[in-house]
C-alpha cells in the first residue's frame, strides 16, 4: 500500500470508495449522521522497533514458551489437546517445543470479515483496516447529572443506542457496561439481545461461562441462520489471559465454544506492567507475545482456521500506589511493538483505545486518551476495544466521554486518508488565483471544496471568548452532556424482522426460566 | 540513528548521557526538580508522504517562487539584495529563477547550538533533537482564580519563572505573554531582561521593530560578550511571513538585524488554511515551502551562514465561522509533510506545540493539544514553540495549562528514549523468577528498577474513586491550579553576576529615557 498517489490514483480511489463527494462530505462531518465504513489506512505505519529488536523479543517469547511454559488451569480437555499436539504437560503447566505455537497459528486467517445483521455494516478485521468498538466491562456508569452509579440494563441499552448512532463507531462492542441489576447468570441474554435489537452493527459475545458463550452462539444462529454462522464470523469475543502465563477454565471454556463454532476470539494478555509482567517494555512484550501465541495456538487446536486476534492490553502502574496508569509513554511503546509482532505472526491485532485513569472527562482524561488513541491508529491496531467511553481505568462507562472520544475517532478516520495529491489537492490554481497579500476565503477552489475541507468537530467550541461566554461558558464536559441527550432523544431503532425478534425473546425466556437467579 | 541497540549500546548510551541511573530517575519523574537536557530522539520519525509526494510538493513550491513570486514590502534594501542575487524584481514582487532559493539556503547550518547564560542549558537545534519552549504571543492570561484578563509584566515574570522551574521545558521562549501594562515601544526591554534575570535557559528576541531587535542584541552582548555573540548563536527569533506570499517591512527589518548579528531566525509562514492558503494539505505545504524558502534564502543574502529555521504554523479554520481550529487531522498531515520538506532542505524545523482552541483547560484543550504535540514529536520537529501554556487559539496564556502541558512534554521525552533492549530491559530473569500465576511487584527485577520504571505524572490522579472523592474530587484544572502556585512559591532565581545585572538595568533605563511612551 502506498500513501502517495498520482492524480489518476486519487480519482480512482474516490470512485472505489463509492459515493464520491457525498461520502467525503460525510466523512469530514464530525457529528454527521452518515455511518462510516471501517478504516482502511492510507498512511504508513509507525514502528518503534527494528527487525533486530523484534527478532530478539520473538526469541525471548519462544524461550518463555519452552522453558517456563503456560498454565492451562481447570481444563483437562485443553491439557489433553496439548499433549496430543506434542507439548510437554506437567500437571497444568504446558511447555511448548520451539516453533510449535507459531506453526499452529499458521492455520488462522490473516484477516477476516465479521458480518453484521445489516450487511453494509460488516467489518474487516486485519490488514490495513481499523475497527472502532466502544468501552467494554465497566460495572459503573457516570454522567454529569447523576454522577457515578451502578450500571443497569437501561444504561446498557443507552450505550448500544449511542454507539449505533455515532458514525465514527464501526462496532457495537460487547459489555458496554455491566448491567448489575440483572442476575449474573442471565444478563448475558439481555446484553446480546440489546446489541441485536437496538443496533445493526457487529457485536461481541459473552465469555463469563461456557454455557453463556453457547447461548450467544445460539442467539446468533437465530439471527443469521445455522449454516451461515458455521461458515462465517458473526461474533468476536474477548478471551483474557490471567497474566502472568495462565489461562483459567472460564476463559478456556468460552474460547472452545467460540472456536468450535468458527467464531473469532481475541486472545488478550491483560497486563499492568510491574504487577502482571516485568516493569520494562521489552520484557512485557516478550511475555505478551508468549501468552497470546499459546492462546491463539490453542484455538487452532480446537478448530484449525477459526479466526483469532492477537490482543494486548498493557498499561503501567504507579510504583508508589500500585494504581494502574494510562496515557504514559511506556504503554505506547509496548503497543507499537506488539502491533509489529502481530504483523510478523500474520494475525490481526487488538489493542489501545481511549484509555485513561481520570474520574471525570477532564483534561487528564483527554490527554491520556489521545496519548493512547494516536499510537493505536499509527501503530496499525485492527480491532480497537474501548475506543470511546472509557473512564476511571475502565471502572466506569461515561456518557459524555463516549461523545468526546467518538469525535476523536472521526478525526482519526480522516487522518488515515492521508494527503490528497490529486490536482485538486495540490491547489496550484488557487494559489495562482489568489496571489500575494490576498486571502483564499472566497476563491473558486475554496468554494468548490467548502464542504469537504477540514474535519468538523461536533463537540469543540472554536468561537470567540465573548461568544462562548455569552453561550454560558460551557466546557467540553457540559457540551457533551447536551449532545448525548439529543442523540438518545433522536434515536430510532433499526428494523428487525419480527419473527427473529420473537424467536430471540422466546429463547431468552426459556433460558431464564431454566435456572434460578444468581447474583455472585 | 538506529532505534535498536545491543546490550553494550544501551550501557554506552547511559554513560554518554551522564548521571546514569540518577539521570534516568530524574527523566522519569514527572514533577521532578532536575532539568532535562533537550531531546535526542532514539525512535524513528513518522512520515506521511513518500519521496514521490515530497518531490511533487517541492516542484510546486518552485513553480510558486518562479511564476507567482513573493512580495518583500517596505524594504528597498531587500529588493536590492534580491536584484543583485539574480531574482526578477517587479515593484515589490520578487520572482526567483528555479533553484535560486534552494542554492542560497545551502550556506545555512543544518543544526546549531543556541547558548544559554548557564552553559549546561544550551540547546542543539536541528538533527535528531527537539527543544520545547513555552507559549508565545498571547495578550491575555488566564487562571482558575481570576479568569481571563490582560497580561501584565508580573504575569510575564511568572511565566518565565514557571518555565525555568519546569524541567520538561528546555527553553525560556520569548513573548510568553504580552505585558500590555508597559508601553509598546519599551516592553521588549523588560521582556528580554526578565528572561535573563529570572531564568538561565536560552530565550528569544524581540521582532516588533528593527530597533527593538537591536536592543535585544545589545542586551545579549552585555550578558555573553560582544565577540561571543558574533561567533555564536545566543538568540533565536520568530519572523512570520504575512501569508500568502508576503513579508512586511517590520519582519524584514528584525530579520536583517538578527541575521547580520549571526543570530538565528525562524522563518514561519503563519497559515490558517482556507484563509491564508488553500484548504488542502498539499496546497498548504507547497505554499509554506515557497514562503519559508524565500525568507530563509533572504537571511542568507544578508549574512551567509546565519542560522535559520524553517518554520510552519499551519492550522485549519471552521468553514462555517472562519474561526481557527486546532488538533484536527489536516494540520497534523501538514506538519508531518513540512518536517520532511525541511529535512530535505537541510535546515532545522519549527512547528507544532500544544495548540488548542478551547477557552479553558478542559477535555477539548487536552485532546487538541495532544493531537498537535504527538505529531510534533513523531514528525521530528526541532524547535517547538507553544509547547506549553497555549490556550484559546493563542489569545491567552494559561497558568494551569502550562503545568498540564509540561507534564505531557516530560512524557514525550521518555517516549523518545524508545525501548530499552538491554538485558535488564529484556527482563527474562524476572519472568523466570516469578513464573505463572504469581506477580512481579516484589521480585528482584522490579525492586532494582523501582525508581526508573514508568513516567510519573505530576498532575494525573490515579487513585481510587473513593480516595479521589475524599480529597475533594478535583479535576485536572483544579489540581494544576495548586501546582503552579506551589512552584512559584518555591521559586528561587538563578544567580546573575551583579555587574551584568547593573549593566542591563543601565541599558534599559537609558533606552527608556530616550523616547516617549507609546501604547499603539
Amino acid at each position: 500500500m502506498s500513501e502517495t498517489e498520482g492524480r489518476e490514483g486519487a480519482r480512482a480511489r474516490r470512485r472505489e470508495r463509492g459515493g464520491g463527494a457525498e461520502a467525503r462530505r460525510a466523512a469530514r462531518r464530525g457529528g454527521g449522521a452518515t455511518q462510516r465504513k471501517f478504516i482502511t489506512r492510507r498512511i504508513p505505519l509507525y514502528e518503534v522497533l527494528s527487525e533486530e529488536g523484534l527478532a530478539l523479543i520473538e526469541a525471548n517469547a519462544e524461550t518463555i514458551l519452552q522453558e517456563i511454559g503456560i498454565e492451562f488451569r481447570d481444563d483437562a480437555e485443553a491439557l489433553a489437546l496439548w499433549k496430543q499436539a506434542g507439548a510437554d504437560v506437567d500437571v497444568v503447566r504446558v511447555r511448548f517445543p520451539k516453533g510449535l505455537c507459531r506453526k499452529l497459528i499458521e492455520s488462522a486467517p490473516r484477516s477476516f470479515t465479521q458480518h453484521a445483521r445489516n450487511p453494509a455494516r460488516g467489518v474487516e478485521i486485519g490488514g490495513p483496516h481499523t475497527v472502532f468498538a466502544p468501552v467494554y466491562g465497566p460495572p459503573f456508569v457516570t454522567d454529569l447529572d447523576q454522577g457515578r452509579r451502578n450500571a443497569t440494563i437501561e444504561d446498557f441499552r443507552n450505550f448500544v443506542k449511542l454507539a449505533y448512532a455515532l458514525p465514527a463507531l464501526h462496532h457495537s462492542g460487547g459489555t458496554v457496561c455491566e448491567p448489575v441489576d440483572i442476575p449474573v447468570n442471565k444478563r448475558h441474554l439481555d446484553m446480546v439481545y440489546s446489541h441485536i435489537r437496538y443496533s445493526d452493527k457487529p457485536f461481541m459475545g459473552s465469555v463469563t461461562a461456557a454455557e453463556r458463550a453457547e447461548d450467544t452462539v445460539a442467539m446468533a444462529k437465530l439471527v443469521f441462520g445455522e449454516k451461515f454462522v458455521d461458515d462465517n464470523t458473526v461474533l468476536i469475543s474477548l478471551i483474557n489471559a490471567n497474566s502472568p502465563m495462565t489461562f483459567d477454565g472460564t476463559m478456556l471454556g468460552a474460547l472452545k465454544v467460540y472456536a468450535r463454532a468458527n467464531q473469532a476470539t481475541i486472545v488478550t494478555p491483560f497486563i499492568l506492567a510491574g504487577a502482571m509482567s516485568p516493569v520494562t517494555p521489552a520484557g512485557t512484550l516478550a511475555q505478551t507475545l508468549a501468552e497470546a501465541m499459546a492462546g491463539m495456538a490453542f484455538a487452532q487446536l480446537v478448530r484449525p482456521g477459526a479466526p483469532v486476534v492477537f490482543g494486548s492490553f498493557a498499561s503501567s502502574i504507579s510504583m508508589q500506589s500500585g494504581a494502574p496508569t494510562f496515557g504514559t509513554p511506556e504503554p505506547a511503546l509496548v503497543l507499537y511493538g506488539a502491533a509489529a509482532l502481530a504483523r510478523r505472526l500474520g494475525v490481526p491485532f487488538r489493542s489501545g483505545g481511549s484509555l485513561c485513569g481520570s474520574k471525570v472527562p477532564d483534561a487528564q482524561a483527554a490527554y491520556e486518551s489521545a496519548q493512547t488513541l494516536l499510537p493505536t491508529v499509527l501503530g496499525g491496531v485492527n480491532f480497537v476495544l474501548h475506543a470511546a467511553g472509557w473512564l476511571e481505568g475502565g471502572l466506569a462507562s461515561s456518557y459524555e466521554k463516549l461523545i468526546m472520544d467518538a469525535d476523536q475517532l472521526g478525526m482519526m478516520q480522516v487522518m488515515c486518508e492521508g494527503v490528497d495529491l490529486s490536482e485538486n489537492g495540490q491547489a496550484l490554481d488557487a494559489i495562482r488565483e489568489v496571489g500575494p497579500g490576498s486571502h483564499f476565503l472566497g476563491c473558486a477552489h475554496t468554494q468548490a471544496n467548502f464542504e469537504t475541507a477540514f474535519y468538523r468537530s461536533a463537540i469543540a467550541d472554536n468561537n470567540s471568548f465573548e461568544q462562548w461566554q455569552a453561550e454560558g461558558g460551557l466546557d467540553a464536559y457540559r457540551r457533551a452532556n447536551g449532545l448525548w441527550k439529543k442523540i438518545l432523544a433522536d434515536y430510532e431503532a433499526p428494523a428487525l424482522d419480527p419473527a427473529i425478534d420473537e424467536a430471540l425473546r422466546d429463547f431468552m425466556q426459556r433460558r431464564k426460566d431454566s435456572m434460578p437467579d444468581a447474583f455472585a
Side-chain angles (χ1 to χ4, degrees), chain A:
Chain A
M1 187 194 57
S2 158
E3 78 288 358
T4 310
E5 42 178 0
R7 290 149 197 191
E8 284 317 304
R11 272 201 284 273
R13 185 221 285 179
R14 236 170 288 140
R15 277 197 303 274
E16 162 202 318
R17 270 187 283 176
E22 173 49 39
R24 285 172 65 84
R25 269 194 290 279
R28 300 265 168 179
R29 273 196 303 264
T34 309
Q35 176 58 36
R36 297 184 194 170
K37 198 97 184 140
F38 55 86
I39 291 175
T40 299
R41 203 180 45 257
R42 297 177 194 279
I43 56 175
L45 294 163
Y46 184 67
E47 306 266 6
V48 291
L49 284 163
S50 67
E51 161 68 28
E52 187 194 345
L54 293 167
L56 178 68
I57 287 165
E58 284 174 345
N60 288 346
E62 282 289 353
T63 299
I64 293 168
L65 289 169
Q66 275 184 276
E67 279 184 30
I68 304 169
I70 305 286
E71 294 197 356
F72 285 73
R73 295 185 183 171
D74 307 315
D75 192 326
E77 187 191 12
L79 298 173
L81 281 167
W82 275 121
K83 205 162 191 173
Q84 206 179 330
D88 170 55
V89 178
D90 177 11
V91 194
V92 294
R93 182 85 63 102
V94 183
R95 292 185 179 81
F96 310 83
K98 191 174 173 189
L100 174 63
C101 289
R102 185 170 285 269
K103 180 83 199 140
L104 287 169
I105 292 166
E106 282 173 12
S107 59
R110 300 185 74 87
S111 183
F112 61 90
T113 304
Q114 185 190 357
H115 296 269
R117 72 177 179 88
N118 176 347
R121 305 224 163 155
V123 292
E124 189 66 22
I125 298 176
H129 307 296
T130 296
V131 172
F132 291 134
V135 58
Y136 185 105
F140 301 104
V141 294
T142 181
D143 68 27
L144 180 66
D145 310 296
Q146 298 182 62
R148 181 184 187 260
R149 58 198 188 271
N150 286 331
T152 66
I153 190 67
E154 194 192 335
D155 293 309
F156 190 99
R157 288 186 201 116
N158 285 342
F159 276 92
V160 169
K161 291 174 182 177
L162 289 168
Y164 168 72
L166 288 164
L169 282 162
H170 313 113
H171 203 279
S172 194
T175 310
V176 288
C177 60
E178 190 74 44
V180 295
D181 56 336
I182 300 198
V184 70
N185 59 335
K186 302 183 178 177
R187 65 175 72 137
H188 64 287
L189 299 161
D190 295 274
M191 292 197 275
V192 169
Y193 176 75
S194 296
H195 281 297
I196 298 169
R197 183 68 197 86
Y198 300 109
S199 184
D200 63 3
K201 297 183 182 180
F203 64 95
M204 301 174 74
S206 175
V207 295
T208 52
E211 62 270 23
R212 297 174 200 158
E214 299 279 14
D215 285 343
T216 307
V217 173
M219 290 173 80
K221 286 179 175 172
L222 293 176
V223 176
F224 292 93
E226 197 136 343
K227 172 88 170 80
F228 189 87
V229 171
D230 196 53
D231 293 343
N232 296 282
T233 304
V234 302
L235 293 168
I236 186 166
S237 303
L238 183 62
I239 305 296
N240 280 352
N242 275 6
S243 303
M245 294 162 282
T246 305
F247 287 93
D248 66 30
T250 303
M251 285 290 144
L252 292 171
L255 183 151
K256 287 190 293 185
V257 169
Y258 288 119
R260 284 210 173 97
N262 202 23
Q263 300 305 302
T265 49
I266 309 168
V267 179
T268 306
F270 179 93
I271 287 181
L272 300 173
M276 293 87 143
S277 80
V279 291
T280 55
T284 299
L285 279 167
Q287 185 187 314
T288 297
L289 178 58
E291 293 175 7
M293 281 173 76
M296 291 188 290
F298 177 66
Q300 298 307 303
L301 283 185
V302 173
R303 175 162 170 170
V308 290
V309 176
F310 178 159
S312 168
F313 181 102
S315 206
S316 47
I317 59 170
S318 159
M319 296 305 285
Q320 287 66 53
S321 69
T325 55
F326 299 93
T328 48
E330 296 83 4
L333 294 171
V334 170
L335 189 154
Y336 291 125
L341 292 166
R343 282 190 288 275
R344 289 162 68 95
L345 207 53
V347 288
F349 181 61
R350 171 253 154 160
S351 192
S354 296
L355 311 183
C356 66
S358 187
K359 267 59 76 181
V360 279
D362 62 351
Q364 178 186 343
Y367 279 121
E368 292 175 351
S369 295
Q371 290 290 1
T372 311
L373 182 62
L374 197 44
T376 300
V377 173
L378 294 183
V381 175
N382 300 118
F383 187 76
V384 186
L385 206 52
H386 315 305
W390 160 295
L391 203 67
E392 203 195 320
L395 284 176
S397 297
S398 161
Y399 281 83
E400 286 85 9
K401 189 155 178 287
L402 185 80
I403 302 296
M404 295 178 183
D405 287 337
D407 189 39
Q408 295 292 308
L409 301 181
M411 296 196 205
M412 294 296 97
Q413 185 131 15
V414 173
M415 187 185 72
C416 286
E417 291 182 15
V419 176
D420 175 10
L421 292 176
S422 69
E423 207 158 320
N424 182 63
Q426 292 178 65
L428 263 185
D429 285 347
I431 298 172
R432 283 195 186 95
E433 179 189 342
V434 171
S438 187
H439 69 78
F440 289 77
L441 289 169
C443 81
H445 182 265
T446 301
Q447 295 295 322
N449 290 276
F450 181 84
E451 294 236 39
T452 59
F454 308 139
Y455 181 82
R456 298 183 194 178
S457 169
I459 189 73
D461 183 296
N462 295 301
N463 293 331
S464 70
F465 183 84
E466 292 70 22
Q467 190 176 340
W468 171 77
Q469 208 172 31
E471 289 172 2
L474 303 181
D475 64 13
Y477 187 9
R478 277 149 193 87
R479 291 196 302 273
N481 180 261
L483 211 49
W484 71 256
K485 289 176 185 167
K486 185 180 179 327
I487 296 174
L488 270 192
D490 294 348
Y491 168 83
E492 283 178 48
L496 177 65
D497 180 341
I500 291 177
D501 194 16
E502 204 186 314
L504 288 167
R505 288 171 175 275
D506 281 355
F507 178 84
M508 284 169 67
Q509 202 55 55
R510 272 186 290 115
R511 291 291 296 137
K512 285 188 175 184
D513 291 346
S514 74
M515 51 191 160
D517 291 354
F519 274 94

